[in-house]
Amino acid sequence: MEENRKRNKKMIYLCAISNISSGNCSEDCKFCTQSAHYNTNINTYKQKSIDEIVIEAKKAKQNKAVGFCLVTAGKGLNDKKLDYVCEVAYTLKKEIDISLIGCNGTASIEQLKELKKAGIENYNHNLETSKEFYPSICSTHTWDERFQTCINVKEVGLNLCTGGILGLGESEKDRYSMLKSIKELNPMSIPLNFYIPNNNLPIKNTQITKDEALFWITEYRKNFDSMIMLAGGRELIFGNNWIEAINAGANSIVIGDYLTTKGEKINTDLEILKKYGYNIAKECNG
């Protein structure tokens, strides 16, 4: 794997996300604009139309994304939400050749098996932060539930994507603790997000600098052969110089918009990657 990574060090994997069920989440995560506990004035809806999702997925494919993530707000899956995600996945698999990622909260082995049957190949469930710090940012469910879902993902044979958010007020010790926990799970992909403040959320400021962010990207690259994905907040931390994070060891980015915030213009991202000599992967395994 080490030789493979070195050989492909100029290869970048692009991923796009679709918020297919937005807001009104009952959980009280202090970093999340989709929580119903905070009045963050986001666009809320129970189910995005499947036709609209197909259009988004086709656009992502045209923009060279190899992964398309179906995100639903809420703690986890109930029967109705599971049926909806499966229906979306079935439809997309008939229409588009793109790797599908589920991101639907805590999930049981049985639920994950159903998603796999529907065409989901990867499942994203972030640990968010360290086990020790987690009670400071969420009281309505436990970190252990998140970790167990990640174990379930691997047990059913889906590729695991798990990472977290830096800049929530966690200590350096917490950041090492999260890295260690992720290492136990050995995921295929590690999304690293940087907290995006919202005036109506309890956490008011992003508590990480660009130099610290680069340090942690380097630390993750030292410890993993996995994809290390620059996700939410990269523009906030790096501005137009996010290529520094790629040079530090990240090899995947989210293109387009995030769940409730705007991302960089896709053409701009592609131009920057081309300028610095990076190749864009045509499939998830490079």
Side-chain angles (χ1 to χ4, degrees):
M1 286 185 71
E2 178 66 20
E3 289 180 4
N4 217 24
R5 181 173 66 77
K6 287 180 179 178
R7 186 169 62 247
N8 293 324
K9 65 182 180 179
K10 298 293 282 187
M11 187 72 74
I12 303 299
Y13 299 82
L14 306 183
C15 180
I17 62 177
S18 178
N19 196 10
I20 66 172
S21 176
S22 176
N24 294 317
C25 178
S26 62
E27 306 305 288
D28 69 353
C29 304
K30 293 180 180 178
F31 56 83
C32 187
T33 54
Q34 299 203 81
S35 172
H37 291 258
Y38 318 111
N39 183 23
T40 54
N41 299 313
I42 64 166
N43 188 20
T44 63
Y45 45 88
K46 286 188 177 180
Q47 293 184 353
K48 183 180 286 184
S49 78
I50 294 179
D51 287 345
E52 186 177 352
I53 298 168
V54 169
I55 291 170
E56 289 181 8
K58 287 182 176 179
K59 181 179 178 182
K61 176 76 174 179
Q62 289 169 359
N63 287 317
K64 303 184 179 182
V66 292
F68 188 69
C69 188
L70 305 172
V71 187
T72 54
K75 179 176 179 290
L77 288 164
N78 54 32
D79 290 344
K80 187 174 182 180
K81 190 181 291 185
L82 178 61
D83 289 344
Y84 168 60
V85 177
C86 287
E87 184 181 1
V88 173
Y90 275 126
T91 304
L92 289 176
K93 277 300 180 184
K94 290 177 184 176
E95 297 261 355
I96 310 152
D97 179 21
I98 196 166
S99 183
L100 295 181
I101 307 150
C103 183
N104 315 118
T106 53
S108 67
I109 286 174
E110 292 73 22
Q111 291 169 331
L112 291 164
K113 285 180 177 178
E114 289 302 309
L115 291 176
K116 187 178 180 182
K117 287 179 188 175
I120 298 290
E121 297 152 294
N122 321 279
Y123 198 81
N124 173 222
H125 193 57
N126 291 334
L127 296 182
E128 307 299 15
T129 190
S130 70
K131 181 176 182 177
E132 298 80 8
F133 187 67
Y134 196 79
S136 300
I137 60 169
C138 179
S139 68
T140 47
H141 64 269
T142 67
W143 183 94
D144 292 295
E145 290 179 76
R146 307 190 74 86
F147 193 84
Q148 184 60 52
T149 291
C150 293
I151 292 172
N152 294 346
V153 170
K154 300 199 75 173
E155 185 164 333
V156 303
L158 290 168
N159 295 315
L160 174 64
C161 309
T162 188
I165 306 171
L166 300 174
L168 297 173
E170 73 283 351
S171 67
E172 183 177 27
K173 185 176 180 181
D174 288 314
R175 292 173 184 171
Y176 274 114
S177 177
M178 182 176 78
L179 185 153
K180 182 180 177 183
S181 295
I182 292 172
K183 199 166 187 178
E184 289 178 40
L185 294 165
N186 189 28
M188 178 194 75
S189 174
I190 304 169
L192 292 180
N193 299 273
F194 306 97
Y195 177 60
I196 302 173
N198 180 291
N199 288 336
N200 293 318
L201 289 176
I203 303 172
K204 299 301 181 186
N205 302 301
T206 304
Q207 298 173 55
I208 187 168
T209 66
K210 184 180 82 168
D211 287 344
E212 288 173 327
L214 289 171
F215 171 83
W216 284 101
I217 290 166
T218 302
E219 283 295 291
Y220 273 87
R221 179 48 70 211
K222 286 179 184 176
N223 281 274
F224 294 94
D225 281 340
S226 311
M227 286 185 207
I228 296 176
M229 178 183 290
L230 282 180
R234 69 177 163 102
E235 297 87 356
L236 179 67
I237 298 298
F238 298 104
N240 293 327
N241 294 318
W242 56 265
I243 201 70
E244 293 181 60
I246 300 293
N247 294 335
N251 63 343
S252 177
I253 63 171
V254 175
I255 59 170
D257 295 335
Y258 302 108
L259 293 178
T260 62
T261 58
K262 290 287 184 181
E264 183 57 86
K265 291 181 179 178
I266 295 171
N267 286 343
T268 302
D269 283 340
L270 297 178
E271 288 167 5
I272 289 172
L273 291 171
K274 182 179 180 180
K275 176 182 176 181
Y276 288 94
Y278 284 95
N279 300 311
I280 297 173
K282 295 181 178 179
E283 54 187 13
C284 276
N285 62 11

